[in-house]
Amino acid sequence: MTEIATAGGSLAIRPDQTAWTPDQQAVLQQSGIDNDVTGAELSAFLHLCQRTLLDPFSRQIYLIGRWNGQQRRKVFTPQTSIDGYRVIAHRVIAEHGGALGYEDTLWCDKSGRWHDVWLSDEPPAAAKVVVVRNGQRFPAVARYSEYVQTKKDGTPTGMWVKMPATMTAKCAEALALRMAFPHDLAGVYTAEEMAQADNPAPAERHLRRVQPGETDPWATAAPQTAAQGRDYLHEAHEAADADAVRQIYREAAQDGAVPEYLAQIAAVGKAMAAAAAPAAEPAPADEVVDAEVLSPEDDYAAAVADLRAAAEEARLEDFEQGAEQALGMPLTDAPVDAIRALTAQIRPAAA
């Protein structure tokens, strides 16, 4: 792996580096990372910088802390810009070959009609971007209402006021690129996507008794979650209990999340389970203890099962032999992220 270029040699991130150096930590603190950050978040950030080859000291990638009510602390999330996504995508194509392209961006109005140019002064209802990698289409739709950054009064702010169509299209492009490059872009989100995370929380509603036969005036429809671009880690932090985190973990695994991202979700679930569980009593000698749900073995088994299902959908024969040839190694030796990447390649081809 090539070293990440930085302004100073003492800040260069080495491929074999396992922890931030004192000089690097000092610069990171100056960039806004305070003492609320955990060692696990810093380690994950280092790994992400090494994997994406983005330079945190040139602000190509950075950690943003946001208050999490459940954990009662800031939770730090890696972010880059849409330009950072494009750099990674073009670098992968340059290093591994293949072709990368886009279809024309489309914008949708409130009536559901699509346009190839947005001329209205009103924000679009949604934008659609299709990334084409090696002939395979990866379409993604981003709704304006799901990503717009707002003030306390609910009105848009920043670039969402000046360029709502462009900002919505950037979010759709980020979703499409993450689908086309699941391993290379997993675990990092664009600033355009995460702008809404800073929106003011809705005011806490006042409680009153509901009379018999009266509907709750505060009841609202449950928000729809987009199938693409879900922030599973954020959902895990907001989950009610460890069981809910386990379900989020399974859904993330089925959607092709890479091992390090799944490990972060697993850590949240284990922390919740440990906090909620009373002091454990020794299990009887003859009692069979269930295996840990969020384990690497389960992750590997889920990845293989998903690959097998994709192969069956594509009507591919000789599963074991074909998988070994595609992966360049026996299936039993293959890392989970490689299995997920192969599944992502097979599934669109079968669609």
Side-chain angles (χ1 to χ4, degrees), residues 12-163:
I13 299 177
R14 304 188 311 275
D16 60 344
Q17 186 173 337
T18 58
W20 296 102
T21 67
D23 287 345
Q24 292 169 341
Q25 287 184 337
V27 176
L28 289 175
Q29 287 181 337
Q30 293 176 0
S31 69
I33 300 177
D34 54 34
N35 293 332
D36 286 337
V37 69
T38 66
E41 288 170 334
L42 284 175
S43 295
F45 186 49
L46 173 60
H47 174 74
L48 194 61
C49 293
Q50 291 169 321
R51 179 163 60 82
T52 61
L53 296 182
L54 293 179
D55 181 13
F57 308 111
S58 298
R59 303 296 289 173
Q60 293 178 347
I61 188 171
Y62 39 89
L63 274 179
I64 295 296
R66 294 183 174 88
W67 179 258
N68 182 284
Q70 187 171 17
Q71 297 193 36
R72 303 190 65 81
R73 71 169 184 89
K74 286 182 182 178
V75 173
F76 285 80
T77 304
Q79 286 184 198
T80 184
S81 67
I82 189 63
D83 291 331
Y85 261 35
R86 294 165 181 163
V87 167
I88 295 172
H90 283 282
R91 181 188 294 136
V92 171
I93 293 298
E95 291 180 353
H96 301 285
L100 173 64
Y102 291 80
E103 295 181 3
D104 290 342
T105 301
L106 299 176
W107 289 268
C108 186
D109 60 30
K110 294 181 179 179
S111 68
R113 292 184 301 176
W114 290 94
H115 308 265
D116 57 3
V117 62
W118 190 255
L119 300 176
S120 173
D121 292 333
E122 294 293 323
K128 179 179 181 180
V129 171
V130 180
V131 171
V132 183
R133 180 182 181 184
N134 299 335
Q136 298 180 11
R137 300 174 70 255
F138 296 90
V141 175
R143 294 178 57 192
Y144 170 83
S145 61
E146 292 180 346
Y147 291 99
V148 60
Q149 185 177 25
T150 61
K151 304 175 185 177
K152 290 184 179 180
D153 60 2
T155 58
T157 185
M159 299 302 291
W160 288 93
V161 176
K162 299 178 181 179
M163 300 187 298

Side-chain angles (χ1 to χ4, degrees), residues 261-314:
Y261 189 63
L262 291 170
Q264 295 180 55
I265 299 175
V268 174
K270 290 177 181 177
M272 285 188 181
E281 297 181 359
D286 57 348
E287 181 179 342
V288 178
V289 180
D290 291 338
E292 171 60 73
V293 175
L294 305 179
S295 66
E297 292 78 11
D298 285 344
D299 187 25
Y300 174 83
V304 173
D306 198 24
L307 176 60
R308 187 180 297 275
E312 292 176 355
E313 292 170 6

